[in-house]
């Protein structure tokens, strides 16, 4: 085995992507710029992975010299890709974190009470200054608007 292939890499996670139940891309992020640099190559790689994993009951696959961990939930397939010598447990940890975060965020959508949704996403009410306007006033040099807003609070 070549000694350069075992050197540590900054790109522990090579890619993360989410596919629908037909294998179409919903979201993807490739962290290694040398891994499938063209969109066509990325889609072919994703399609190959989907074809190998969508009916499988496993959580780990090896394809094209990559270690792939995956999880499905109803009609979504989440994938984390690492190199062939990457620790599967580390990749699975990334996958589980992504899955849990998405589950928590999407759970808010099922709520119909606006106040509860605002509480869950930690939305700040109108009592706080609108920072976008303060920044805009600062950039434009509109000191009077800044003074007026601070007096209102």
């Amino acid at each position: 085995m070549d000694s350069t292939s075992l050197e540590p890499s900054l790109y522990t996670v090579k890619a993360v992507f989410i596919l629908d139940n037909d294998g179409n891309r919903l979201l993807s992020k490739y962290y290694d710029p040398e891994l499938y640099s063209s969109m066509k190559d990325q889609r072919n790689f994703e399609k190959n992975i989907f074809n190998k994993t969508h009916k499988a009951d496993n959580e780990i696959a090896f394809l094209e010299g990559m270690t792939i961990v995956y999880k499905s939930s109803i009609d979504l397939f989440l994938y984390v890709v690492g190199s062939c010598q990457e620790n599967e447990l580390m990749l699975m940890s990334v996958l589980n974190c992504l899955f849990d975060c998405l589950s928590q965020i999407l759970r808010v959508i099922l709520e119909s009470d606006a106040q509860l949704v605002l509480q869950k996403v930690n939305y700040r009410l109108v009592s706080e200054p609108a920072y976008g306007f303060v920044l805009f006033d600062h950039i434009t040099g509109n000191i009077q608007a800044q003074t007026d807003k601070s007096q209102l609070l």
Side-chain angles (χ1 to χ4, degrees):
M1 190 175 259
D2 188 1
S3 64
T4 59
S5 65
L6 296 177
E7 290 182 15
S9 170
L10 175 64
Y11 303 106
T12 302
V13 174
K14 303 261 183 211
V16 175
F17 49 90
I18 302 173
L19 306 177
D20 66 9
N21 60 350
D22 294 325
N24 298 315
R25 177 192 286 185
L26 299 175
L27 177 75
S28 73
K29 176 68 177 171
Y30 284 77
Y31 297 99
D32 187 347
E34 296 175 6
L35 179 68
Y36 307 110
S37 56
S38 75
M39 185 71 72
K40 182 180 179 183
D41 290 340
Q42 290 176 5
R43 293 202 186 256
N44 285 337
F45 177 65
E46 293 165 10
K47 196 58 128 172
N48 288 342
I49 290 175
F50 178 78
N51 290 336
K52 184 173 182 174
T53 61
H54 78 282
K55 291 184 181 178
D57 226 9
N58 305 327
E59 295 178 330
I60 300 172
F62 300 96
L63 183 68
E64 299 181 20
M66 300 288 159
T67 302
I68 300 126
V69 295
Y70 60 97
K71 186 179 276 199
S72 65
S73 175
I74 305 172
D75 59 352
L76 294 179
F77 291 84
L78 286 78
Y79 296 90
V80 175
V81 179
S83 67
C84 62
Q85 62 263 33
E86 196 56 61
N87 184 336
E88 295 90 358
L89 294 175
M90 193 284 309
L91 294 174
M92 189 58 78
S93 174
V94 172
L95 178 65
N96 288 333
C97 180
L98 175 66
F99 184 82
D100 293 343
C101 289
L102 287 174
S103 296
Q104 290 293 324
I105 291 169
L106 294 176
R107 194 170 294 153
V108 174
I109 295 173
L110 300 177
E111 185 62 55
S112 60
D113 181 13
Q115 292 300 321
L116 284 175
V117 171
L118 292 175
Q119 283 178 344
K120 287 183 180 182
V121 296
N122 199 15
Y123 182 75
R124 306 282 184 216
L125 297 176
V126 181
S127 63
E128 293 186 13
Y131 292 107
F133 292 117
V134 172
L135 179 61
F136 180 77
D137 290 339
H138 179 72
I139 291 171
T140 60
N142 188 355
I143 304 300
Q144 181 63 36
Q146 292 175 2
T147 307
D148 293 344
K149 286 179 184 168
S150 65
Q151 290 174 355
L152 291 173
L153 298 175

